Amino acid sequence: MKSQKEIQLSIRHLFDVYNAGGLPRPEQHEVHPGLDLGARENYLYFTFPCAINYQRNSPAMWASALATYQDEETRFIFEPTLVANASFEDIQAAMVKHKLALKTTKDPDAWRRLSLTFAEKYDADPRKLAEEADFSIARMIEIVQKERKADFPYIGGPKLSNYWLFILSRFTDITFTDPYELSIIPDVHVIRASKLLGLVGENAKPKDVDLAWRPLLKAMGIKPEVIHSALWLWSRSGFAVDIQGVTIEKVPPSNLF
């Protein structure tokens, strides 16, 4: 294993390369309608798709979300009060039209249940949940994963709850009081990159990767959502960009999302 100093130097270099735009990236990923960052509608747009973004091609899912939002006939599904009063068949049809729902029963059902939660308990406004949690990531996770898990289908799971907060931190104006409580979201790309950096061993599990990054990022002052994006892009490029202190193996670019 590399020394802590060597690992930090490599991470800092990767961070600098990412900030300079030196990592190849898809032209589109979380496409969106360009709403005001602080608008309720923007929070809704970046909340509901997160609940069905499991075992999916993420860029394709977001493309479907945008197409659904831009279609006047289907946009209603982004308004919890309208969904709460709609029939399941209408919700299903709206979500299937632009392939937002691939699981044609489970996805609309989860979307409807989540809409009921926000419509009935948070005035159809995800910002109210953040306010209730005092803008604390740890507190929001406690609410959606444990205290009211049944009210947050899929998004109440460990992976998607962190993913949702990750998305909010990137695409809304929210400011969390404890940003380093956010998981780095150790997907296949983050795990591969973490092993190559020498932060974890070859047999490391996702939880091991998450725990290894938490104190390191806090010490370095790098937010989890930023380094996640850098690691994700670096891995997807096949580690095409040399990072100081890291021996790069020839790895083909990945189409995993």
Side-chain angles (χ1 to χ4, degrees):
M1 295 289 286
K2 298 178 182 178
S3 71
Q4 194 79 348
K5 183 177 180 179
E6 289 174 320
I7 293 171
Q8 288 193 17
L9 284 173
S10 296
I11 292 169
R12 180 62 63 183
H13 187 61
L14 174 63
F15 181 66
D16 291 341
V17 170
Y18 169 78
N19 282 335
L23 293 173
R25 61 189 67 200
E27 290 185 6
Q28 296 181 323
H29 193 167
E30 294 93 352
V31 292
H32 56 88
L35 301 169
D36 181 82
L37 292 179
R40 181 184 70 94
E41 292 78 9
N42 191 52
Y43 276 75
L44 289 169
Y45 180 84
F46 283 111
T47 291
F48 282 85
C50 293
I52 61 170
N53 194 15
Y54 57 97
Q55 299 178 341
R56 297 283 297 265
N57 178 309
S58 189
M61 191 282 298
W62 284 106
S64 293
L66 180 59
T68 303
Y69 188 89
Q70 291 176 330
D71 186 335
E72 292 185 3
E73 292 184 356
T74 57
R75 183 181 296 180
F76 78 90
I77 67 165
F78 288 93
E79 178 51 66
T81 54
L82 297 179
V83 175
N85 292 309
S87 69
F88 179 81
E89 290 74 21
D90 286 344
I91 299 167
Q92 184 181 53
M95 294 185 67
V96 168
K97 183 176 181 180
H98 298 288
K99 299 182 180 180
L100 180 56
L102 296 185
K103 296 176 175 64
T104 56
T105 298
K106 288 185 177 181
D107 288 350
D109 179 63
W111 197 288
R112 180 177 180 276
R113 288 162 56 202
L114 191 59
S115 294
L116 288 171
T117 295
F118 280 108
E120 295 175 356
K121 299 182 179 180
Y122 296 102
D123 295 328
D125 189 346
R127 297 174 302 180
K128 297 291 183 67
L129 173 57
E131 290 173 7
E132 178 186 313
D134 294 324
F135 298 96
S136 163
I137 287 173
R139 181 67 186 125
M140 288 184 76
I141 287 177
E142 184 78 13
I143 292 170
V144 302
Q145 285 189 16
K146 297 178 181 180
E147 293 180 7
R148 302 176 192 166
K149 184 177 176 63
D151 293 332
F152 295 93
Y154 298 119
I155 212 170
K159 183 175 181 179
L160 289 185
S161 57
N162 275 283
Y163 173 67
W164 171 45
L165 298 179
F166 165 81
I167 289 295
L168 289 185
S169 69
R170 290 187 62 198
F171 296 103
T172 73
D173 69 345
I174 197 165
T175 299
F176 289 114
T177 57
D178 51 356
Y180 299 104
E181 287 299 316
L182 185 64
S183 170
I184 197 172
I185 312 178
D187 60 17
V188 62
H189 293 297
V190 169
I191 293 172
R192 289 170 66 192
S194 300
K195 291 177 180 179
L196 188 55
L197 285 166
L199 184 63
V200 295
E202 281 300 315
N203 297 320
K205 304 298 182 185
K207 187 65 175 178
D208 301 324
V209 175
D210 181 25
L211 292 176
W213 277 102
R214 285 179 182 266
L216 184 59
L217 291 178
K218 189 171 184 178
M220 296 182 71
I222 300 175
K223 291 185 178 180
E225 65 269 20
V226 177
I227 203 66
H228 171 95
S229 298
L231 296 170
W232 190 88
L233 291 170
W234 190 38
S235 173
R236 280 204 74 242
S237 73
F239 303 107
V241 177
D242 288 342
I243 302 300
Q244 182 180 359
V246 176
T247 301
I248 307 295
E249 299 177 4
K250 290 185 178 180
V251 182
S254 172
N255 61 1
L256 295 171
F257 289 95

